[in-house]
Amino acid sequence: MAFTQFLFILLNIGIIVGAKKRNVLLIIADDAGFETDVYNNSAIHTPHLHALAQRSLIFHNAFTSVSSCSPSRSTILTGLPQHQNGMYGLHQDVHHFNSFDGVRSLPLLLSQANIRTGIIGKKHVGPEEVYPFDFAYTEENNSVLQVGRNITKIKLLVRKFFQAKDDRAFFLYVAFHDPHRCGHSQPQYGAFCEKFGNGESGMGWIPDWKPQHYTPEQVKVPYFIPDTPAARADLAAQYTTVSRLDQGIGLILEELRDAGFENDTLVMYSSDNGIPFPNGRTNLYWSGTAEPMLLSSPEHTQRWGQVSQSYVSLLDITPTILDWYSIPYPAYSIFRNKQQVQLTGKSLLPALVSEQPWATVYASQGHHEVTMYYPMRAVHEGPYRLIHNLNFKMPFPIDQDFYYYRDRWELYNTSADPSETQNLAADPAHRDLLQRLRDQLLKWQWATFDPWVCAPDGVLEVKLSPQCRPLFNGLD
């Protein structure tokens, strides 16, 4: 018995001869899209993302499960949709949304498994007890401009983390604030903070940044953005900020190599939600949920540089990282006397070996800011996307977007109609498909303890056994 306990301790601290430490570097951009040649945008120069892609599996069907900052980051760090972990909207200031106290997040689970955890950049989730990090330089204790956009500062913090005298395996989460808009908060730096640190008078200087400038004529306008001079000017500013993000990623990967960790570290790159333009962020269309996703494993070189068409979700990040460390997900309940929590995401590690038949992802949106409430649920299976607008009687109330009414059910064939303009929900030819996807979405909502599972036709009653109580509000 004593030997067994001693062996367990040795395994836990990773000092058995021949045991190889596995590390993780997770890089998340802020409101980034496909502004890179990795995703066939030749108008912008991103050599460091290109180099990472050559060592990665490139996912062409990666999606966020919620298109808003704090909710998305909570799903990344818990593997639970926003309606399940409690981060219904933005975390900061008057919005003040937090995950439930009982949620067991990725950094919490890793810490319990004796893995060193670090975060640099934009955290934007809470409470601290749910999302603890051993090493933390975020907006909570620093300027988010410095820890999220100053790539020299970020480089030095990464170096500090790597040089710590700590032999444990590590998880480092670098959460850039680029290329998020900043014209609403720091207009002196430009619409996307593209002037921040460029060396001009009053802008400060980021020594490692070599600004890349673009003209409005050079940009590639996404299909869902009106092609206007104002939009092109915005995109040109965004491209400059993306170039800072790209150079920052290059610096981080160089630090990883110099520290000797490149050959035992899983590197993941993605973004939190759609780009901050009309029809982008806060929407559950492709334009609001599709994300870049690169997965680089030093142990799986056979698919480096290849493209995967498998459907993956940001909900898959936590299961993937737990799988990399061989850490099982615990059996627990968020609330007392309720069902146990189960992850609905999956590990992406099998895709590093061979193409997987994954073809379904889910999404759940509630709030953005506290007053910007428009609950939606969605399932995307193969070419079809079904969106349930729970508050369809109200106009879409999100800033930076169009204020208009939407149908309760939206069904699109994204293969035949990539712009998602032809709603098939009322088409008799798609009646069976609509019902099947509705049933599938409802099943996922029940599995993830969605408090809105009965809306808008009823309310959820959970005191005895979970059931929907009808509301006689005239809705079908």
Side-chain angles (χ1 to χ4, degrees):
M1 184 66 166
F3 175 77
T4 301
Q5 291 175 335
F6 178 66
L7 181 61
F8 174 78
I9 293 171
L10 289 178
L11 283 168
N12 196 41
I13 63 177
I15 61 173
I16 288 181
V17 176
K20 181 178 180 179
K21 293 191 184 72
R22 281 179 152 193
N23 307 307
V24 173
L25 172 60
L26 173 62
I27 303 172
I28 297 294
D30 198 356
D31 292 3
F34 300 97
E35 303 82 24
T36 168
D37 63 348
V38 175
Y39 287 94
N40 301 317
N41 186 339
S42 58
I44 186 170
H45 187 54
T46 55
H48 301 289
L49 278 171
H50 183 86
L52 177 59
Q54 290 181 320
R55 291 174 53 91
S56 302
L57 181 61
I58 306 163
F59 290 98
H60 272 205
N61 286 301
F63 300 90
T64 182
S65 69
V66 53
S67 193
S68 180
C69 183
S70 296
S72 181
R73 290 162 194 272
S74 74
T75 69
I76 290 170
L77 292 176
T78 66
L80 307 176
Q82 58 87 20
H83 64 249
Q84 187 173 17
N85 76 57
M87 187 70 69
Y88 301 141
L90 298 183
H91 174 61
Q92 83 282 8
D93 302 330
V94 68
H95 317 299
H96 199 57
F97 288 101
N98 285 275
S99 290
F100 298 125
D101 293 343
V103 169
R104 300 194 186 179
S105 72
L106 178 64
L108 182 63
L109 295 176
L110 296 183
S111 179
Q112 291 172 348
N114 201 37
I115 291 169
R116 185 164 63 105
T117 61
I119 179 172
I120 298 168
K122 186 174 180 179
K123 187 177 183 182
H124 214 23
V125 293
E128 171 68 23
E129 295 75 21
V130 172
Y131 299 98
F133 286 88
D134 300 322
F135 179 100
Y137 288 81
T138 72
E139 75 279 4
E140 294 179 354
N141 54 19
N142 283 267
S143 161
V144 72
L145 290 176
Q146 293 299 324
V147 296
R149 298 189 194 263
N150 183 339
I151 60 176
T152 297
K153 174 80 169 178
I154 295 168
K155 175 191 76 173
L156 295 175
L157 288 172
V158 168
R159 183 179 300 173
K160 182 177 181 179
F161 180 82
F162 287 155
Q163 290 181 346
K165 298 187 183 304
D166 194 321
D167 292 331
R168 292 178 294 167
F170 67 77
F171 166 69
L172 178 60
Y173 172 34
V174 181
F176 283 91
H177 195 23
D178 283 335
H180 193 285
R181 287 184 182 272
C182 77
H184 61 294
S185 55
Q186 295 104 5
Q188 69 273 26
Y189 296 126
F192 283 85
C193 272
E194 70 277 7
K195 299 176 184 178
F196 174 69
N198 67 4
E200 296 177 2
S201 177
M203 296 297 105
W205 180 50
I206 300 174
D208 288 291
W209 183 33
K210 298 176 178 59
Q212 303 291 317
H213 299 291
Y214 297 86
T215 67
E217 293 74 28
Q218 289 177 302
V219 304
K220 182 179 179 180
V221 181
Y223 72 86
F224 55 91
I225 298 175
D227 192 348
T228 65
R232 285 183 169 272
D234 254 10
L235 288 166
Q238 181 206 32
Y239 278 24
T240 295
T241 307
V242 169
S243 78
R244 185 169 57 216
L245 165 70
D246 178 73
Q247 291 174 42
I249 290 171
L251 293 172
I252 292 170
L253 295 178
E254 184 177 7
E255 292 296 324
L256 187 74
R257 286 191 294 272
D258 290 348
F261 295 128
E262 182 179 49
N263 292 326
D264 53 20
T265 301
L266 183 76
V267 179
M268 304 183 74
Y269 167 75
S270 191
S271 182
D272 54 350
N273 45 247
I275 62 176
F277 287 84
N279 294 311
R281 185 183 62 194
T282 71
N283 286 277
L284 295 189
Y285 305 119
W286 184 95
S287 48
T289 58
E291 302 296 343
M293 174 78 84
L294 304 179
L295 182 60
S296 176
S297 166
E299 300 176 15
H300 304 83
T301 61
Q302 61 267 44
R303 297 204 72 189
W304 279 5
Q306 292 186 16
V307 169
S308 172
Q309 299 296 340
S310 301
Y311 282 42
V312 300
S313 167
L314 299 192
L315 291 172
D316 299 331
I317 290 178
T318 283
T320 300
I321 293 173
L322 292 176
D323 189 18
W324 178 256
Y325 290 119
S326 299
I327 297 173
Y329 192 69
Y332 78 101
S333 299
I334 295 176
F335 302 108
R336 186 180 299 176
N337 300 325
K338 296 296 188 297
Q339 287 180 283
Q340 288 188 350
V341 174
Q342 291 186 332
L343 296 176
T344 56
K346 58 195 174 292
S347 170
L348 301 182
L349 297 187
L352 296 173
V353 178
S354 61
E355 187 72 356
Q356 299 298 307
W358 306 323
T360 306
V361 292
Y362 297 90
S364 167
Q365 187 88 19
H367 291 263
H368 183 53
E369 296 184 1
V370 69
T371 58
M372 299 176 185
Y373 174 63
Y374 198 81
M376 299 173 280
R377 302 295 184 263
V379 55
H380 189 176
E381 181 185 81
Y384 292 99
R385 181 191 308 278
L386 176 67
I387 301 174
H388 187 193
N389 296 308
L390 277 63
N391 279 22
F392 66 100
K393 292 282 189 178
M394 295 174 55
F396 190 67
I398 312 297
D399 68 337
Q400 300 179 8
D401 217 307
F402 299 117
Y403 294 76
Y404 61 92
Y405 289 90
R406 302 182 176 188
D407 294 331
R408 175 171 179 176
W409 296 99
E410 297 182 76
L411 176 64
Y412 300 104
N413 182 337
T414 61
S415 179
D417 176 28
S419 299
E420 296 175 279
T421 59
Q422 304 297 317
N423 186 2
L424 305 174
D427 183 354
H430 293 85
R431 184 182 295 112
D432 292 345
L433 173 66
L434 174 65
Q435 188 59 54
R436 183 175 64 79
L437 291 178
R438 285 179 59 171
D439 293 343
Q440 194 169 322
L441 180 58
L442 192 64
K443 182 179 179 181
W444 179 73
Q445 289 183 260
W446 281 112
T448 55
F449 314 116
D450 187 352
W452 284 264
V453 67
C454 303
D457 306 297
V459 292
L460 177 62
E461 173 59 67
V462 296
K463 297 253 182 187
L464 297 176
S465 61
Q467 57 183 301
C468 292
R469 297 289 188 182
L471 286 172
F472 298 99
N473 54 11
L475 299 181
D476 294 328

